[in-house]
Amino acid sequence: MRLWTLHPKYLDPKGLVALWREALLAQAVLKGETAGYRHHPQLLRFQAHADPLAAIAVYLRAVHAEAMARNYHFDRTKINRRRAKVRLAETRGQLAYEWKHLQAKLRVRSPDWWRRGKNVAAPEPHPLFRLVPGAVRDWEKVAAAPVAEIKAGPARAPAMPRKPKL
C-alpha cells in the first residue's frame, strides 16, 4: 500500500489507478471492514488524526479530482461522506523521498511520464498535506540512504495527456 504524499498529478495512469484502489482499501481498513492491513505503516498518519475517516475522505476526493481532470471515471460514491476541514502535517524529507521513489518507478514503467517530471525541483504535496521541516518519516521503509530535504520553490507540473476512460 502506498498513499503518496505527492500530488496525484505526478502519477502515471497505472499509478493513479493503483492509488485510487489503495486509498479505497485504506478507507475500508479505517472503517474496520477488513482484517488485513490494520497495522500498515502508511495508515499511521490517518489513524493519528482525530477523525481518520474524514482525513481519508479528503485524500480520496483529491485523487478523484485528478481522475476527473484526466477524464477517467472513478466512482465518487465509494468515498466516505464524512466532511471536515482536514490538513495533515508531513515532512519535506518524506515528500522528497517519495519524489525520488516515484521518479525511479516512472523511469522504468513510464519513461514519458518520467521525462515530464524529471526537472521538477520541488514537487507539490497532495492537497491534504501541509509541509513542515523534517526528515523521512520513521514508518517509511527506506530502500536507500535518506534523501536530503528538497529546496522550497515553485514546482512545474508536467503536462498530462488525456487518456481513455477506465
Side-chain angles (χ1 to χ4, degrees), residues 31-122:
K31 284 181 170 180
E33 295 175 347
T34 180
Y37 294 96
R38 288 182 311 199
H39 303 291
H40 197 285
Q42 289 281 326
L43 293 175
L44 291 174
R45 54 193 172 178
F46 293 93
Q47 291 167 330
H49 189 271
D51 190 346
L53 289 174
I56 196 68
V58 169
Y59 190 90
L60 277 160
R61 284 186 197 100
V63 175
H64 182 266
E66 178 60 28
M68 296 303 292
R70 297 186 195 188
N71 204 28
Y72 297 172
H73 294 276
F74 290 6
D75 185 358
R76 184 179 181 90
T77 64
K78 292 183 178 187
I79 302 172
N80 185 300
R81 294 183 184 184
R82 280 201 134 97
R83 295 252 178 215
K85 287 191 176 192
V86 177
R87 292 288 304 248
L88 302 181
E90 193 50 82
T91 64
R92 294 188 194 299
Q94 181 64 33
L95 182 75
Y97 175 80
E98 289 183 20
W99 181 244
K100 184 176 179 180
H101 181 68
L102 178 63
Q103 289 302 303
K105 281 181 168 281
L106 293 178
R107 189 171 198 171
V108 174
R109 181 176 74 203
S110 189
D112 288 343
W113 280 77
W114 172 75
R115 280 190 285 281
R116 286 186 192 106
K118 73 178 183 173
N119 294 322
V120 174

Side-chain angles (χ1 to χ4, degrees), residues 41-42 44 90-91 93-94 134-142 146:
Q42 289 281 326
L44 291 174
E90 193 50 82
T91 64
Q94 181 64 33
V136 177
R137 301 282 277 201
D138 291 341
W139 49 257
E140 181 64 68
K141 294 179 181 179
V142 179

